[in-house]
Amino acid sequence: MRAIVKTAPGEGHLELRDVPEPSPGPRQVKLKIAAAGICGTDIHIIKGRWRSDPPVVLGHEFCGEVVEAGAEVRHFQRGDRVVASNPAQTCGHCFHCLSGNPFMCEERVSAGYMIDGAFAEFLCIAHERCHLLPENVSFRQAALGEPLAVAVRAVTERVSVHAGDLVLVSGPGCVGLLTAQMAKLEGARVLVAGIERDRPRLEVARRTGADAAIDTSRENLLERVRGERPEGADLVFECAGAEASLNACLDAVRKEGTVVQVGVYPGPVCADINRVMMKELRYIGVYGYVWTTWQRAIRLLAEERVKTEELISHEFPLERFEEAFRATQDGSACKVVFRPDLL
């Protein structure tokens, strides 16, 4: 089968290869990949800034159709349409696994950089990581199920957003745009901020319900936030994974407010962390999701309460992977999705 493989550590080293088609283990299902989205983490891996264990097939945001089920699988069968999540493997018996948060497992193994992921025609994944799609949810909608789950976790499970809150989302990537939608659903007034290269994404933010989209290359973000509310934002979601964005969030949040880190940084950053103490802030991290997160995310898709298709700006076959990764990095794309069925 065709697959996009990171062949060696460091920057680059990507190839489209013909690799053996996988066979499912006893508790796995084999999926024919319908769609797989490019994530910011994939870009960090390509640049050599994030762990990977090459040679490995990239891709961890995906949905597809079950074509084969392992001998011990009871809840899925051939023809089922599913969206799947990480981590691919955990110990199953540590404190975190037993309490329902497998992302915290010390033995966690994730698809897409530790073991083979979804930028391929087929993928085998543990059946526990699969979620059935309702009939009215398309693969195109489900392609963004994983980032939607992160946004659901950030807004409704890790913190509480109340009607009337002023929320700032810094970083209008896919997760940021979905976080903004989630905050709107909770009744907040939502500002989305980005830099000059984010202008197409800021326009998507406007179209998908943000109350304001701020280009910080043209406007002073702090002045704009305080123009909305002199005290500052009640909650800020840092979704850019950039040092400048983090510092802007620490400035813009009100005293006794909440900063939620959703973005992944490529390495250590420099920030005046004394502001957390001096402003008596709550600083919350979001890394992944739990089972209930996915149930909520899928219901939101089924009820058409969130817009995911509108965020997909480009679809590529696997063969055009270089163009796809370029579009993701140069600011011309909002969300890029691989569709192995395209020629």
Side-chain angles (χ1 to χ4, degrees):
M1 69 172 183
R2 295 166 299 145
I4 301 169
V5 180
K6 185 167 179 64
T7 60
E11 186 168 359
H13 305 295
L14 286 183
E15 295 181 13
L16 182 68
R17 286 186 172 181
D18 189 17
V19 302
E21 194 171 307
S23 297
R27 297 179 62 82
Q28 290 185 319
V29 294
K30 179 178 177 180
L31 301 182
K32 181 180 180 182
I33 301 298
I38 297 177
C39 172
T41 305
D42 295 315
I43 303 304
H44 289 322
I45 293 168
I46 292 168
K47 291 181 175 293
R49 299 171 178 167
W50 189 262
R51 175 188 172 178
S52 64
D53 298 326
V56 65
V57 179
L58 300 187
H60 62 271
E61 301 178 2
F62 57 97
C63 56
E65 180 181 332
V66 176
V67 295
E68 188 178 351
E72 298 178 18
V73 176
R74 298 290 179 264
H75 301 294
F76 297 97
Q77 59 187 354
R78 185 181 179 90
D80 283 344
R81 300 165 59 254
V82 302
V83 61
S85 64
N86 259 320
Q89 301 169 13
T90 60
C91 75
H93 54 73
C94 71
F95 171 86
H96 301 290
C97 286
L98 293 175
S99 61
N101 192 350
F103 263 98
M104 298 296 105
C105 176
E106 294 290 344
E107 298 180 29
R108 172 179 61 88
V109 175
S110 292
Y113 52 97
M114 299 168 78
I115 60 173
D116 286 342
F119 293 164
E121 294 181 85
F122 297 95
L123 170 69
C124 291
I125 191 79
H127 74 91
E128 296 93 342
R129 303 298 180 234
C130 295
H131 307 268
L132 277 172
L133 290 174
E135 290 184 4
N136 67 324
V137 176
S138 69
F139 280 137
R140 184 175 164 86
Q141 291 171 295
L144 272 63
E146 203 266 359
L148 174 59
V150 173
V152 171
R153 177 79 168 156
V155 175
T156 70
E157 295 179 349
R158 293 292 285 149
V159 298
S160 295
V161 176
H162 300 105
D165 280 347
L166 179 64
V167 168
L168 170 66
V169 177
S170 181
C174 182
V175 171
L177 293 169
L178 292 169
T179 297
Q181 288 190 50
M182 290 303 305
K184 283 297 297 180
L185 285 177
E186 297 299 308
R189 178 167 176 80
V190 179
L191 315 179
V192 178
I195 58 178
E196 183 175 7
R197 59 174 289 187
D198 292 323
R199 287 178 189 171
R201 298 172 181 179
L202 290 171
E203 182 54 39
V204 174
R206 294 185 184 95
R207 294 201 305 267
T208 54
D211 294 290
I214 304 164
D215 178 353
T216 60
S217 66
R218 296 182 174 185
E219 296 185 70
N220 183 291
L221 178 60
L222 185 58
E223 289 180 2
R224 183 65 184 273
V225 170
R226 288 183 174 170
E228 295 273 346
R229 186 168 299 169
E231 298 81 12
D234 298 292
L235 300 97
V236 299
F237 292 85
E238 201 298 289
C239 299
E243 182 178 298
S245 173
L246 173 60
N247 281 291
C249 287
L250 291 170
D251 284 340
V253 67
R254 66 169 173 81
K255 293 178 180 179
E256 299 182 285
T258 301
V259 178
V260 185
Q261 181 188 332
V262 187
V264 177
Y265 302 101
V269 295
C270 183
D272 182 4
I273 208 70
N274 279 335
R275 283 178 289 184
V276 175
M277 175 270 295
M278 296 181 73
K279 296 173 79 170
E280 291 201 349
L281 302 177
R282 288 172 291 275
Y283 193 104
I284 306 293
V286 176
Y287 186 58
Y289 29 72
V290 297
W291 180 263
T292 53
T293 318
W294 275 94
Q295 298 308 296
R296 292 183 175 116
I298 291 170
R299 282 198 299 271
L300 289 168
L301 289 174
E303 295 168 5
E304 299 182 346
R305 298 180 66 197
V306 292
K307 300 174 181 177
T308 56
E309 289 186 90
E310 288 83 349
L311 274 59
I312 299 174
S313 57
H314 296 69
E315 293 178 300
F316 288 102
L318 297 174
E319 286 78 5
R320 293 171 60 189
F321 71 93
E322 291 179 329
E323 185 179 351
F325 288 124
R326 256 197 319 272
T328 300
Q329 296 178 75
D330 66 13
S332 63
C334 183
K335 185 65 173 183
V336 178
V337 170
F338 284 116
R339 283 185 44 198
D341 63 326
L342 292 178
L343 300 176

